[in-house]
Amino acid sequence: MNAHPMHPFLARAASAAAGVAAAVPAGQRLDAPTPCGEFDTRALINHWVLYTSHGLEHRARRAELPEELIARDFTVDADWRSAYAAQLERAVAAWGEPAAWEGDVDLGGSPVPAVGIARMLILELVLHGWDVARAVGGEIEVDEELAELVGEIVEENAELYRQYAGFAEVVPVPDDTSAWDRALAASGRDPRWKG
Protein backbone atom coordinates (compact mmCIF):
# COMPACT_ATOMS: atom_id res chain seq x y z
CA MET A 1 0.00 0.00 0.00
CA ASN A 2 1.50 3.32 -1.07
CA ALA A 3 0.63 6.22 1.21
CA HIS A 4 -0.17 9.60 -0.32
CA PRO A 5 2.89 11.95 -0.35
CA MET A 6 1.04 14.29 2.04
CA HIS A 7 0.44 11.51 4.60
CA PRO A 8 3.84 11.79 6.34
CA PHE A 9 3.22 15.53 6.86
CA LEU A 10 -0.17 14.76 8.35
CA ALA A 11 1.46 12.22 10.68
CA ARG A 12 4.13 14.74 11.75
CA ALA A 13 1.51 17.43 12.38
CA ALA A 14 -0.51 14.96 14.47
CA SER A 15 2.59 14.00 16.44
CA ALA A 16 3.34 17.68 17.14
CA ALA A 17 -0.26 18.21 18.30
CA ALA A 18 -0.13 15.16 20.58
CA GLY A 19 3.07 16.57 22.10
CA VAL A 20 1.33 19.85 22.87
CA ALA A 21 -1.59 18.07 24.54
CA ALA A 22 0.73 15.90 26.63
CA ALA A 23 2.43 19.05 27.94
CA VAL A 24 -0.77 20.79 29.12
CA PRO A 25 -0.35 20.88 32.92
CA ALA A 26 -2.90 18.91 34.95
CA GLY A 27 -3.88 21.97 37.00
CA GLN A 28 -4.07 24.32 34.02
CA ARG A 29 -6.66 27.12 34.27
CA LEU A 30 -9.05 26.49 31.42
CA ASP A 31 -10.69 29.91 31.51
CA ALA A 32 -7.40 31.61 30.54
CA PRO A 33 -7.17 33.61 27.28
CA THR A 34 -5.70 32.17 24.08
CA PRO A 35 -4.32 33.66 20.86
CA CYS A 36 -7.80 32.91 19.41
CA GLY A 37 -9.74 35.78 20.95
CA GLU A 38 -13.11 34.03 20.64
CA PHE A 39 -11.91 30.96 22.61
CA ASP A 40 -10.79 30.56 26.20
CA THR A 41 -8.45 27.62 26.82
CA ARG A 42 -11.25 25.09 27.45
CA ALA A 43 -13.18 26.06 24.30
CA LEU A 44 -10.00 26.03 22.20
CA ILE A 45 -8.93 22.59 23.44
CA ASN A 46 -12.41 21.20 22.81
CA HIS A 47 -12.51 22.66 19.27
CA TRP A 48 -8.99 21.35 18.55
CA VAL A 49 -9.62 17.85 19.91
CA LEU A 50 -12.97 17.53 18.12
CA TYR A 51 -11.91 18.65 14.65
CA THR A 52 -8.27 17.51 14.49
CA SER A 53 -8.73 13.98 15.83
CA HIS A 54 -12.37 12.87 15.57
CA GLY A 55 -13.06 15.18 12.64
CA LEU A 56 -9.83 14.09 10.96
CA GLU A 57 -10.88 10.42 11.07
CA HIS A 58 -14.48 11.14 10.09
CA ARG A 59 -13.36 13.15 7.06
CA ALA A 60 -11.16 10.26 5.89
CA ARG A 61 -14.11 7.87 6.24
CA ARG A 62 -16.65 10.37 4.76
CA ALA A 63 -18.76 10.09 7.92
CA GLU A 64 -20.68 12.76 9.85
CA LEU A 65 -19.51 13.73 13.33
CA PRO A 66 -22.12 12.51 15.84
CA GLU A 67 -23.88 15.15 17.94
CA GLU A 68 -22.58 13.47 21.09
CA LEU A 69 -19.00 14.27 20.07
CA ILE A 70 -19.83 17.82 18.98
CA ALA A 71 -21.40 18.54 22.38
CA ARG A 72 -18.72 16.82 24.47
CA ASP A 73 -16.40 18.69 26.86
CA PHE A 74 -13.28 16.60 26.38
CA THR A 75 -11.39 18.49 29.09
CA VAL A 76 -13.52 17.05 31.92
CA ASP A 77 -11.85 13.68 31.38
CA ALA A 78 -8.60 13.42 33.33
CA ASP A 79 -7.09 11.33 30.52
CA TRP A 80 -8.15 13.63 27.63
CA ARG A 81 -4.49 14.09 26.63
CA SER A 82 -3.82 10.38 26.09
CA ALA A 83 -7.30 9.87 24.58
CA TYR A 84 -6.51 12.66 22.07
CA ALA A 85 -3.17 11.04 21.17
CA ALA A 86 -4.88 7.65 20.65
CA GLN A 87 -7.62 9.21 18.50
CA LEU A 88 -4.98 11.03 16.45
CA GLU A 89 -3.31 7.67 15.76
CA ARG A 90 -6.62 6.23 14.54
CA ALA A 91 -7.20 9.29 12.36
CA VAL A 92 -3.73 9.18 10.80
CA ALA A 93 -4.21 5.44 10.15
CA ALA A 94 -7.53 6.20 8.40
CA TRP A 95 -5.72 8.65 6.10
CA GLY A 96 -3.13 5.93 5.46
CA GLU A 97 -5.69 4.28 3.17
CA PRO A 98 -5.17 5.47 -0.43
CA ALA A 99 -8.96 5.77 -0.93
CA ALA A 100 -9.10 8.50 1.75
CA TRP A 101 -7.22 10.83 -0.61
CA GLU A 102 -9.46 10.22 -3.61
CA GLY A 103 -12.51 12.21 -4.64
CA ASP A 104 -14.20 14.88 -2.57
CA VAL A 105 -15.18 15.40 1.05
CA ASP A 106 -18.38 17.22 1.94
CA LEU A 107 -17.56 20.45 3.77
CA GLY A 108 -20.74 22.11 4.93
CA GLY A 109 -22.64 21.14 1.79
CA SER A 110 -19.78 21.90 -0.61
CA PRO A 111 -17.57 19.18 -2.12
CA VAL A 112 -13.86 19.82 -1.51
CA PRO A 113 -11.06 17.61 -2.86
CA ALA A 114 -9.85 15.22 -0.15
CA VAL A 115 -6.26 16.42 -0.54
CA GLY A 116 -7.38 20.00 0.14
CA ILE A 117 -9.26 18.87 3.26
CA ALA A 118 -6.18 17.04 4.52
CA ARG A 119 -4.03 20.12 3.93
CA MET A 120 -6.51 22.28 5.88
CA LEU A 121 -6.48 19.76 8.71
CA ILE A 122 -2.68 19.93 8.86
CA LEU A 123 -3.18 23.67 9.45
CA GLU A 124 -5.72 23.01 12.21
CA LEU A 125 -3.41 20.55 13.93
CA VAL A 126 -0.38 22.81 14.13
CA LEU A 127 -1.86 26.32 14.17
CA HIS A 128 -4.35 25.49 16.91
CA GLY A 129 -1.62 23.36 18.46
CA TRP A 130 0.46 26.54 18.70
CA ASP A 131 -2.55 28.41 20.10
CA VAL A 132 -3.02 25.78 22.83
CA ALA A 133 0.72 25.65 23.57
CA ARG A 134 0.94 29.42 23.93
CA ALA A 135 -2.20 29.58 26.07
CA VAL A 136 -0.54 27.26 28.61
CA GLY A 137 2.94 28.78 28.33
CA GLY A 138 4.41 26.06 26.11
CA GLU A 139 5.70 25.52 22.58
CA ILE A 140 4.96 23.25 19.63
CA GLU A 141 7.70 21.37 17.80
CA VAL A 142 7.34 21.95 14.04
CA ASP A 143 10.25 20.96 11.80
CA GLU A 144 11.44 23.23 8.99
CA GLU A 145 9.92 21.18 6.15
CA LEU A 146 6.53 21.03 7.87
CA ALA A 147 6.75 24.75 8.64
CA GLU A 148 7.37 25.51 4.95
CA LEU A 149 4.36 23.39 3.97
CA VAL A 150 2.17 25.11 6.56
CA GLY A 151 3.25 28.47 5.15
CA GLU A 152 2.19 27.35 1.65
CA ILE A 153 -1.19 26.11 2.90
CA VAL A 154 -1.78 29.32 4.84
CA GLU A 155 -1.12 31.37 1.69
CA GLU A 156 -3.42 29.12 -0.39
CA ASN A 157 -6.31 29.45 2.07
CA ALA A 158 -5.79 32.86 3.67
CA GLU A 159 -8.45 34.69 1.68
CA LEU A 160 -11.08 32.03 2.39
CA TYR A 161 -10.20 31.83 6.09
CA ARG A 162 -10.37 35.62 6.46
CA GLN A 163 -13.85 35.66 4.90
CA TYR A 164 -15.01 33.43 7.75
CA ALA A 165 -12.91 35.15 10.47
CA GLY A 166 -10.67 32.08 10.73
CA PHE A 167 -7.56 34.23 10.23
CA ALA A 168 -6.88 37.78 11.33
CA GLU A 169 -4.89 40.20 9.16
CA VAL A 170 -1.23 39.40 8.49
CA VAL A 171 1.09 40.30 11.38
CA PRO A 172 4.24 42.13 10.21
CA VAL A 173 7.49 40.25 11.01
CA PRO A 174 11.16 40.92 10.18
CA ASP A 175 12.65 39.55 6.93
CA ASP A 176 14.85 37.06 8.80
CA THR A 177 11.91 35.45 10.62
CA SER A 178 11.81 31.64 10.64
CA ALA A 179 9.50 29.76 8.26
CA TRP A 180 7.31 28.74 11.21
CA ASP A 181 6.94 32.28 12.55
CA ARG A 182 6.24 33.54 9.01
CA ALA A 183 3.45 30.95 8.68
CA LEU A 184 2.00 32.03 12.04
CA ALA A 185 2.15 35.70 11.07
CA ALA A 186 0.56 35.03 7.66
CA SER A 187 -2.35 33.36 9.50
CA GLY A 188 -2.85 36.49 11.59
CA ARG A 189 -1.09 35.15 14.69
CA ASP A 190 1.55 37.20 16.49
CA PRO A 191 4.52 34.84 17.04
CA ARG A 192 5.37 36.88 20.16
CA TRP A 193 1.94 36.33 21.79
CA LYS A 194 2.04 35.43 25.48
CA GLY A 195 -0.93 34.81 27.76
Side-chain angles (χ1 to χ4, degrees), residues 165-186:
F167 286 171
E169 290 304 312
V170 175
V171 174
V173 289
D175 291 342
D176 61 351
T177 298
S178 70
W180 175 236
D181 281 358
R182 281 197 312 276
L184 290 169

Side-chain angles (χ1 to χ4, degrees), residues 139-156:
E139 296 290 340
I140 185 170
E141 297 296 324
V142 177
D143 65 70
E144 188 74 11
E145 192 180 24
L146 180 56
E148 294 279 1
L149 174 66
V150 170
E152 284 175 27
I153 302 169
V154 166
E155 293 296 338
E156 286 168 13

Side-chain angles (χ1 to χ4, degrees), residues 27-83:
Q28 178 65 40
R29 273 186 54 217
L30 296 181
D31 60 348
T34 73
C36 298
E38 73 275 23
F39 290 137
D40 65 8
T41 305
R42 181 186 313 279
L44 176 60
I45 289 173
N46 280 318
H47 173 86
W48 183 53
V49 168
L50 176 65
Y51 290 105
T52 66
S53 63
H54 298 284
L56 184 63
E57 181 181 12
H58 281 69
R59 297 277 193 231
R61 301 194 188 290
R62 311 304 196 265
E64 291 290 319
L65 277 169
E67 284 300 320
E68 179 275 323
L69 279 178
I70 293 169
R72 183 184 297 176
D73 181 353
F74 297 97
T75 66
V76 300
D77 299 324
D79 68 344
W80 73 263
R81 298 159 189 80
S82 58

